[in-house]
Amino acid sequence: MRSSIVIDAPGLSVADDFVKCQSNNYNHNLYSRYYIISLSFCLLNPLVFLLHPLFRPCIVNFIFNFLCHIYLSIMNDLEDNGEFQVVKHSSRNKRRNNRPRVNSKFVADNKVVDNNVPVEEIFEKVQAASQKFHESPFRQTLLYELNKALRQLDSKGIIDIVCYGLGNFSEFNCPKYQLAALLTVKSTYSANVFVYDPLFTNNESQCLKLLNLNVIENNEEGKRLIQNHTTLVFMPHCSKQLINNFLYTNWSPLIKNCILLGNSWSDIECHTTDALFQQTIQYMYKLKPYVTEIKLQNNFQYPNTFSGTSIHIFTEEQLDKIPSDFWNKKPVLSRDYNDQEFIAA
Ligand SMILES: *[C@@H]1O[C@H](CO)[C@@H](O)[C@H](O)[C@H]1NC(C)=O
Ligand SMILES: *[C@@H]1O[C@H](CO)[C@@H](O)[C@H](O)[C@H]1NC(C)=O
Ligand SMILES: *[C@@H]1O[C@H](CO)[C@@H](O)[C@H](O)[C@H]1NC(C)=O
């Protein structure tokens, strides 16, 4: 069976240029690449530390973590099977291109997405992934941190889960294991799950329905008004604009009902200039000082699946500090129409 790993990092748009390493078996070609990769890492990592005086420490850490992710994933994949694919983000400029973040979450080059995967096969893949996820230490981490968040919110459990922008899970590893995590949380709390991604194929939607998830039919652009009970908003590696849309729609003290799981806000803050943050993702910018962020220790076998992911909550104590006119919002969510990320969900 074909399997591939696409390496991705939070807060980055996947650029056109990427390095692919593919091999069908443990042939000598692969081994020579293995040595080149190892050698490059030995040379690159000290270089990253030389950058310390030049950049903010979080940026240097980010680069270092990113290199480690690539390295670990390659090693993992060498253990698993001989076929792998590495997506490398090229230049800083590319990153600024404001590409549709979600649509380009997983890039396939010569690998055409197989839209004809039968439902049963997708279902089996998801089951196998769930099994693997069940045995992973990350499952414990996730549930432990969620319980911690629930305690801080004085909540008894998660009633609803809204999940946006999962991706083509029938084909790619990241969304597949993210779905496995979602299913784990669903069964732990007996929660109702609503999922949406414009990328889902018909058969992927069918599979989600078989798994007892509610597939949202139209693109809400993240603007779902949550009920007055604890809701997990599950958007691993989703665009910050999508989070912003969600915050805009639920802009009231009832935001205390939300547990947002997705790209770390502190990472986003670190990679965005203050002016850009304020302009393009203003609701997130406004709430940033009041958020409680719980970083998830990234101990999953495929580190890129949950890299840079945090749980974000708004505790009563923090919300009490907010003046009530803070919750006044503009009647229309201001959009930057140049920003393609808005339309993605
Ligand atoms: C979807 O699944 C069905 C049955 O599992 C299969 O016959 C079909 O070829 C698949 N693909 C599409 C595009 O419907
Ligand atoms: C995911 O599936 C959709 C529907 O088949 C397809 O159009 C899209 O290109 C796929 N996404 C990626 C990133 O391959
Ligand atoms: C939300 O629920 C809480 C407790 O169940 C209740 O006290 C509160 O009035 C509700 N708020 C709204 C706006 O419905």
Side-chain angles (χ1 to χ4, degrees):
M1 202 193 278
R2 258 175 94 87
S3 98
S4 76
I5 288 194
V6 179
I7 289 166
D8 196 4
L12 291 179
S13 295
V14 177
D16 294 335
D17 313 64
F18 49 90
V19 175
K20 274 190 281 90
C21 319
Q22 275 183 318
S23 163
N24 290 323
N25 266 305
Y26 289 89
N27 54 30
H28 90 265
N29 200 2
L30 188 66
Y31 275 117
S32 59
R33 275 184 192 144
Y34 169 93
Y35 285 118
I36 291 170
I37 291 163
S38 293
L39 194 68
S40 322
F41 273 88
C42 294
L43 296 172
L44 267 173
N45 283 338
L47 235 155
V48 169
F49 281 101
L50 289 180
L51 294 175
H52 253 294
L54 297 175
F55 295 106
R56 280 184 285 176
C58 61
I59 298 206
V60 177
N61 285 341
F62 177 77
I63 299 172
F64 181 73
N65 282 336
F66 181 55
L67 292 175
C68 288
H69 281 158
I70 295 180
Y71 182 75
L72 283 172
S73 297
I74 291 169
M75 290 314 161
N76 254 324
D77 219 57
L78 279 171
E79 275 172 27
D80 271 14
N81 52 55
E83 184 180 296
F84 58 98
Q85 185 179 21
V86 177
V87 176
K88 194 200 74 172
H89 306 282
S90 57
S91 65
R92 279 181 71 88
N93 302 340
K94 284 276 166 56
R95 222 195 271 181
R96 300 246 160 94
N97 271 351
N98 277 339
R99 282 159 194 283
R101 171 78 191 112
V102 176
N103 292 334
S104 58
K105 192 162 160 189
F106 306 99
V107 172
D109 180 28
N110 56 352
K111 187 171 193 290
V112 177
V113 171
D114 184 7
N115 292 329
N116 297 315
V117 189
V119 182
E120 302 78 22
E121 197 179 306
I122 304 177
F123 193 81
E124 273 166 32
K125 273 190 189 183
V126 173
Q127 296 285 316
S130 297
Q131 187 59 40
K132 206 161 176 180
F133 186 81
H134 193 83
E135 290 153 11
S136 76
F138 185 76
R139 178 181 179 274
Q140 262 92 42
T141 305
L142 178 65
L143 294 178
Y144 175 82
E145 301 294 4
L146 277 176
N147 282 331
K148 191 157 100 189
L150 286 169
R151 273 199 308 279
Q152 288 189 48
L153 293 174
D154 208 10
S155 165
K156 290 194 177 63
I158 296 166
I159 312 287
D160 283 340
I161 304 176
V162 179
C163 168
Y164 291 124
L166 200 59
N168 293 113
F169 60 88
S170 63
E171 199 65 19
F172 299 108
N173 264 339
C174 275
K176 190 173 69 184
Y177 288 111
Q178 287 165 359
L179 176 59
L182 177 67
L183 292 172
T184 295
V185 180
K186 172 188 173 0
S187 66
T188 306
Y189 297 99
S190 313
N192 281 320
V193 185
F194 302 87
V195 274
Y196 181 77
D197 192 321
L199 296 182
F200 288 151
T201 63
N202 276 336
N203 278 2
E204 280 173 335
S205 292
Q206 288 305 317
C207 176
L208 292 171
K209 286 173 190 164
L210 278 178
L211 292 162
N212 284 324
L213 312 186
N214 304 290
V215 180
I216 301 169
E217 299 295 338
N218 53 330
N219 193 348
E220 318 175 321
E221 300 179 347
K223 297 186 217 136
R224 169 164 288 246
L225 187 64
I226 58 150
Q227 308 282 311
N228 187 15
H229 51 223
T230 307
T231 303
L232 172 67
V233 187
F234 188 86
M235 8 189 198
H237 296 175
C238 271
S239 74
K240 42 194 186 294
Q241 275 73 18
L242 202 61
I243 304 171
N244 198 56
N245 283 8
F246 178 82
L247 294 177
Y248 169 81
T249 309
N250 292 282
W251 196 247
S252 85
L254 286 180
I255 200 86
K256 69 172 196 303
N257 287 318
C258 292
I259 301 176
L260 294 155
L261 187 149
N263 284 350
S264 152
W265 286 23
S266 51
D267 283 357
I268 292 174
E269 186 182 36
C270 176
H271 301 302
T272 320
T273 64
D274 218 40
L276 198 69
F277 198 170
Q278 198 168 357
Q279 269 167 29
T280 59
I281 39 176
Q282 51 171 314
Y283 291 98
M284 190 173 183
Y285 179 82
K286 283 186 186 172
L287 262 183
K288 178 77 183 57
Y290 307 103
V291 75
T292 305
E293 180 172 331
I294 303 169
K295 283 196 183 266
L296 291 175
Q297 192 202 342
N298 190 12
N299 51 8
F300 192 57
Q301 182 179 7
Y302 303 105
N304 40 314
T305 313
F306 300 101
S307 61
T309 301
S310 291
I311 289 172
H312 307 83
I313 51 170
F314 305 95
T315 59
E316 202 94 48
E317 196 192 347
Q318 288 297 315
L319 292 180
D320 281 349
K321 295 180 188 162
I322 298 180
S324 61
D325 64 351
F326 175 91
W327 298 110
N328 298 341
K329 61 180 178 183
K330 291 186 188 150
V332 185
L333 179 60
S334 62
R335 273 172 180 246
D336 174 358
Y337 282 98
N338 294 326
D339 194 338
Q340 301 272 313
E341 280 191 271
F342 259 119
I343 40 170

